[in-house]
Every structure is written in C-alpha cells, then in structure tokens.
Amino acid sequence: MSENTFVPLYQQIKDDIKSAIEHGKYKPKEQIPTEPELSAEYSVSRVTVRRAVEELCSEGYLVKQQGRGTFVSAPRIHRKFSVSNQVVSFTKTCREYGMLAGAKVAERKIVPVREDEKAFWGCGDDALLLYIQRIRTADGQPVFLENLFMLYHDFKSLMQADWENQSVFELMASVSGYRVAAASRRTIEAVRATSEQSSLLNVPVGEALLHLNCYFVDRENRPICIGRPYYIGSRYMFEI
C-alpha cells in the first residue's frame, strides 16, 4: 500500500479486495484471509484492515459469519426492467443465477381496500383484499420482503394455501386461470429498514431498502394483483 497518495490506506485495501472479488480471485461464498493475515499482507494495522472489511460488508460484498470468519457474499441478484414492462418471477430469476428460491410466510390476513387499489380493480369501498407477506430468500439468504394484495373474492381459496417456497404467479394462475404477464405501472424508491423489517430480513435498522409498487396484469390487461416488496439494496440490483 502506498502512503504517498491522498487515498486513505483503508480505502486502498477496500478497493483491492473489491477488485479481487470482481475478478474472481475470491469467489462467492469463499472465505477471505483473516484480519491478521490481511494486516501482514498489506503491512498495515488490523484497525485499518477492519475498517476496509466492515465497509465491504456494509456494501454487500462480504458477510461475517459468527465464529467462522468473513466470506464473499453470494452474487447480487440482477433483474432488468424492460421497456415492455414484462415481468419475470423471482423463482425464475434465481434459477438463472443457479440459486434456489425460497419463501416463508410472515403474515396472511384480509384487509380493506385503499384508494389506489380501488382504482386498479375498479371496485367499491366494500371490497376486501387478501394480503400475504412473505420473506423471499435465495439459497436461504433473505433478499426481500414480499407484500402481495389480491381481491379476496377471486382468491379466497388461497387464504389457506401452502405459500411456503411457492411461486406466487403459479399459485394465482392455478386458482384463477389468469397468468401475470406485465406490470401496468410501477414505482421504485429508496427507504430505510424499520425495526420490523430489520427483524424479518435480518438486517440492521436503517439498512438501505428498495421499495417497489407494482400493479400486475395479465395479457388481456386484466388486473391480477399488487406487489409492494422491500428489497435489500446490497443483495439486489435493478437495471432500468
């Protein structure tokens, strides 16, 4: 490491380790050298090494495992937003990455309809929605908190369905015969994890999340469901 530069030593080490990850020297899920080993390799203090490693952890490149060491994170899942607004299920996206998609139900209940939901379905004030919340995982690691809303009248049989490790689009198609094909409208914004979200996703309070609102329709533009997920920013990337 060079001290004859305006770039701090910890930043130089961080950039070097990040480059090693991106170029395959350290592979996904592989353990990196320990702090003493890195300290000796770069001829710097362990404090300097620790800061570089902690920043790489906070940015999602590394993950610390209690009692085991520090490992390279699984590749960040990358999903494209196409101009046509076509959608690809999370299950299929994970399969393309060679990862196993999972889903654990956190909550299911019947809720009243809100204004934007009434406009989407063209329903009245007395309509009820089935709300399903699930923790979605890739190879067992939480990736996002899924919040799904659908008309209870059309999907009441799914209230008691097995939602564990199932594709939501497949489940809904099996009941209604209609298959999600596109998002008629979607928005995305950056938010911070609440205490409830941090507990469900196993991230610190205040962690950067990407919050989407997606209004899903079938090929005939019939409204099917609304998704309001919260993605962990360090584990998921959208290309627009």
Side-chain angles (χ1 to χ4, degrees):
M1 293 291 99
S2 174
E3 295 186 5
N4 299 319
T5 174
F6 291 111
V7 180
L9 288 175
Y10 83 87
Q11 183 68 49
Q12 295 180 55
I13 296 170
K14 174 185 171 184
D15 292 343
D16 194 57
I17 296 175
K18 181 177 175 181
S19 177
I21 293 171
E22 292 174 339
H23 289 87
K25 178 182 177 181
Y26 299 135
K27 295 179 172 53
K29 301 183 181 180
E30 179 182 337
Q31 186 174 9
I32 68 168
T34 64
E35 286 185 5
E37 290 170 339
L38 289 172
S39 178
E41 177 182 344
Y42 291 107
S43 299
V44 297
S45 70
R46 289 182 60 177
V47 172
T48 300
V49 167
R50 186 174 300 121
R51 180 168 179 183
V53 169
E54 287 178 349
E55 290 205 1
L56 287 168
C57 287
S58 67
E59 293 177 11
Y61 289 94
L62 298 174
V63 59
K64 289 186 176 181
Q65 297 185 12
Q66 188 70 30
R68 294 191 60 205
T70 304
F71 295 78
V72 179
S73 297
R76 184 181 296 190
I77 298 173
H78 190 170
R79 180 183 288 186
K80 290 185 177 181
F81 272 173
S82 65
V83 175
S84 65
N85 281 340
Q86 292 182 341
V87 296
V88 178
S89 72
F90 178 68
T91 300
K92 183 177 180 180
T93 300
C94 283
R95 192 180 302 124
E96 291 173 352
Y97 276 79
M99 305 172 81
L100 179 64
K104 180 180 180 181
V105 176
E107 190 170 14
R108 68 175 87 194
K109 60 184 178 181
I110 301 170
V111 297
V113 69
R114 293 173 289 190
E115 289 302 318
D116 68 313
E117 296 159 349
K118 285 190 289 184
F120 177 62
W121 276 293
C123 58
D125 294 338
D126 58 344
L128 296 174
L129 302 181
L130 173 59
Y131 166 56
I132 304 292
Q133 183 181 70
R134 302 193 299 176
I135 302 162
R136 300 306 310 267
T137 61
D139 285 348
Q141 182 179 44
V143 174
F144 70 97
L145 187 62
E146 183 178 61
N147 296 289
L148 294 164
F149 299 84
M150 60 206 79
L151 284 176
Y152 179 68
H153 179 270
D154 295 338
F155 294 98
K156 63 177 67 177
S157 63
L158 292 182
M159 183 68 179
Q160 305 302 325
D162 178 13
W163 287 85
E164 301 286 320
N165 302 322
Q166 300 288 331
S167 168
V168 62
F169 291 165
E170 295 298 329
L171 270 175
M172 297 181 73
S174 69
V175 170
S176 67
Y178 302 136
R179 188 173 296 275
V180 169
S184 62
R185 181 165 65 92
R186 53 191 167 191
T187 62
I188 182 170
E189 62 180 317
V191 299
R192 296 290 183 181
T194 64
S195 58
E196 178 184 0
Q197 291 165 344
S198 69
S199 176
L200 291 170
L201 293 172
N202 194 28
V203 297
V205 174
E207 175 86 1
L209 303 178
L210 297 173
H211 177 43
L212 272 69
N213 276 282
C214 299
Y215 299 77
F216 295 112
V217 297
D218 68 4
R219 293 188 182 278
E220 305 301 322
N221 209 38
R222 284 182 288 250
I224 304 296
C225 67
I226 297 175
R228 306 188 194 275
Y230 290 85
Y231 292 84
I232 301 173
S234 62
R235 300 174 190 166
Y236 212 89
M237 178 187 299
F238 292 97
E239 180 179 330
I240 300 175

